[in-house]
Amino acid sequence: NEEEIRCIGCGAILQTTDKTKPGYTPAAALEKGLETGEVYCQRCFRLRHYNEIQDVHLTDDDFLKLLNEIGSKDALIVNVVDVFDFNGSVIPGLHRFVGKNPVLLVGNKVDLLPKSQKRGRLTQWLRERAHEIGLRPVDVVLTSAMKTNEIDELKEAIEKYRNGKDVYVVGVTNVGKSSIINQTIKSSAGVQDLITVSQFPGTTLDQIEIPLDNGKALIDTPGIIHRHQMAHVLGAKDLRLIAPKKEIKPKVYQLNEAQTLFFGGVARFDFIKGERSSFTCYVSNDLTIHRTKLEKADELYAKQKGALLQPPRMEEKDAFPELVRFEFSIKEKSDIVFAGLGWITVAKPGVVVAGWAPKGIDVLIRKSII
Ligand code: GDP
């Protein structure tokens, strides 16, 4: 039997088959490395040479193990969430895993929300939502991996709350955790030479340690995938289209009862019952919205999916999951959230609406974020 070869950076067992799993290295690189006796996995290689961290995807079991490890440490836990997809970025049961450790909640991607959004209101909203799921963060900080000054503020907050301890950064995939850490590395000059990568004992999870000044470290933990995101039903190209890249320009629709909005062909919103009112859509500026009559909506979708209503594109439309309907009676100003796609704010209590999303994608209602 072949001997297991381990990455000299992180100790993960090297493999050449799955890019998303720990220890991946291209076959050619492995061969070359064996000649020189220095074999790194691709993740460590990139980290050393380009100061870039790549994500490694974990199984649920690996992730649970990792969370359990964290509870047994004496550290500050930094939980990164995506303010554009808060519901898709919470880690279920995190409060049970952190033990006595303080949690700093970081709302990333603030650059996507309208500039008029009051930061105080947003942090308060995040705090309330955290409390609802049992998490009691010591503080809530907003940030953007795209803005250097925001990262500096985050670093200050971490310094303030860590009290000389190690820092563990946790988050589900796609919240921007790697981007934040990459920014942090880049702004700490010369640090790449010091980076050590270590393992949780008894697991194959590699973790990146960025040294902090007093012999402690900021530790990046691999993220876990949330299954109920659009990422699982759309191709990479379409995902880029529906994921907003810059400040969202909200689109306001005055709708009468029995009108429908289509978001490309990936989501649908019906105004079922109530007086004429306004609905504000927070989705990628590149996603086209079509208005139609509720009674015509099914027919339009059947005919135009993949054509007028894109994404999905024509060649994908047959494999695209059917849209599933969720109905809501609005009691207070609320958002109807399409996981990973955006949300529609319904201002008027008393109306009845329905949200449709591809099978497997959550549609949910929450207290309005804006
Ligand atoms: P990770 O899986 O949590 O490590 O997330 P990544 O760092 O890979 O980021 C996921 C996606 O979100 C990438 O397309 C990033 O470019 C984007 N992203 C990360 N941080 C921000 C941010 O602050 N603002 C915006 N607009 N996009 C971000």
Side-chain angles (χ1 to χ4, degrees), residues 195-227:
I195 288 169
T196 57
V197 185
S198 63
Q199 268 182 293
F200 286 107
T203 72
T204 55
L205 307 179
D206 52 347
Q207 58 183 35
I208 306 281
E209 296 195 6
I210 299 157
L212 300 170
D213 55 11
N214 57 344
K216 299 292 177 181
L218 182 137
I219 297 143
D220 176 34
T221 62
I224 194 174
I225 302 173
H226 250 283
R227 276 183 214 78

Side-chain angles (χ1 to χ4, degrees), residues 79-86 89-91 105-109 126 135 143 170-172 175-176 180:
N79 179 204
V80 182
V81 297
D82 175 351
V83 292
F84 178 70
D85 185 17
F86 175 77
S89 53
V90 294
I91 299 174
L105 185 63
V106 176
N108 189 37
K109 307 196 190 179
L126 283 168
L135 203 58
T143 197
V170 298
V172 307
V175 296
I180 288 177

Side-chain angles (χ1 to χ4, degrees), residues 59-84:
T59 64
D60 290 10
D61 279 355
D62 285 342
F63 195 67
L64 286 180
K65 260 188 220 159
L66 184 142
L67 287 177
N68 273 318
E69 287 283 340
I70 288 173
S72 67
K73 309 279 181 192
D74 183 22
L76 171 68
I77 313 298
V78 174
N79 179 204
V80 182
V81 297
D82 175 351
V83 292
F84 178 70

Side-chain angles (χ1 to χ4, degrees), residues 24-294:
Y24 174 76
T25 183
L30 179 60
E31 233 166 75
K32 214 164 165 204
L34 287 175
E35 283 167 22
T36 61
E38 283 212 344
V39 204
Y40 288 97
C41 71
Q42 190 170 61
R43 189 168 188 245
C44 289
F45 182 85
R46 293 232 168 130
L47 180 64
R48 290 177 63 85
H49 293 278
Y50 311 117
N51 280 352
E52 298 244 319
I53 290 182
Q54 288 174 290
D55 244 7
V56 174
H57 295 162
L58 297 185
T59 64
D60 290 10
D61 279 355
D62 285 342
F63 195 67
L64 286 180
K65 260 188 220 159
L66 184 142
L67 287 177
N68 273 318
E69 287 283 340
I70 288 173
S72 67
K73 309 279 181 192
D74 183 22
L76 171 68
I77 313 298
V78 174
N79 179 204
V80 182
V81 297
D82 175 351
V83 292
F84 178 70
D85 185 17
F86 175 77
N87 306 86
S89 53
V90 294
I91 299 174
L94 179 64
H95 65 287
R96 285 197 301 273
F97 292 105
V98 295
K100 291 195 165 52
N101 291 321
V103 176
L104 179 64
L105 185 63
V106 176
N108 189 37
K109 307 196 190 179
V110 274
D111 57 296
L112 294 178
L113 299 187
K115 290 211 175 57
S116 55
Q117 167 86 359
K118 295 266 190 313
R119 292 179 78 109
R121 203 186 123 91
L122 183 55
T123 47
Q124 182 54 27
W125 185 91
L126 283 168
R127 194 173 286 115
E128 282 170 20
R129 301 291 81 70
H131 286 183
E132 279 172 5
I133 52 174
L135 203 58
R136 307 223 149 242
V138 285
D139 207 348
V140 179
V141 180
L142 301 176
T143 197
S144 164
M146 307 298 164
K147 307 258 160 78
T148 325
N149 59 322
E150 304 263 11
I151 291 292
D152 288 344
E153 274 176 41
L154 172 61
K155 283 161 87 174
E156 274 165 35
I158 290 176
E159 218 30 66
K160 174 172 165 196
Y161 289 109
R162 80 182 178 96
N163 273 325
K165 295 176 193 165
D166 286 330
V167 180
Y168 281 80
V169 186
V170 298
V172 307
T173 51
N174 215 38
V175 296
K177 193 162 61 69
S178 310
S179 304
I180 288 177
I181 291 175
N182 285 331
Q183 289 302 329
T184 310
I185 296 174
K186 275 174 193 148
S187 65
S188 322
V191 90
Q192 70 269 33
D193 300 331
L194 297 169
I195 288 169
T196 57
V197 185
S198 63
Q199 268 182 293
F200 286 107
T203 72
T204 55
L205 307 179
D206 52 347
Q207 58 183 35
I208 306 281
E209 296 195 6
I210 299 157
L212 300 170
D213 55 11
N214 57 344
K216 299 292 177 181
L218 182 137
I219 297 143
D220 176 34
T221 62
I224 194 174
I225 302 173
H226 250 283
R227 276 183 214 78
H228 305 291
Q229 289 175 326
M230 285 286 175
H232 304 292
V233 297
L234 286 182
K237 223 177 186 172
D238 289 335
L239 263 184
R240 275 198 293 278
L241 194 134
I242 66 147
K245 284 158 288 290
K246 45 182 203 280
E247 186 186 341
I248 294 170
K249 303 270 176 264
K251 297 191 185 73
V252 185
Y253 286 83
Q254 302 292 335
L255 297 185
N256 293 319
E257 183 174 281
Q259 285 193 309
T260 288
L261 299 176
F262 277 104
F263 299 82
V266 292
R268 165 178 164 182
F269 176 81
D270 298 340
F271 177 21
I272 297 167
K273 207 160 175 274
E275 282 168 36
R276 178 178 171 83
S277 35
S278 74
F279 300 87
T280 313
C281 306
Y282 296 87
V283 295
S284 166
N285 302 333
D286 300 331
L287 187 64
T288 322
I289 305 176
H290 291 275
R291 182 206 298 237
T292 186
K293 287 187 176 135
L294 178 56

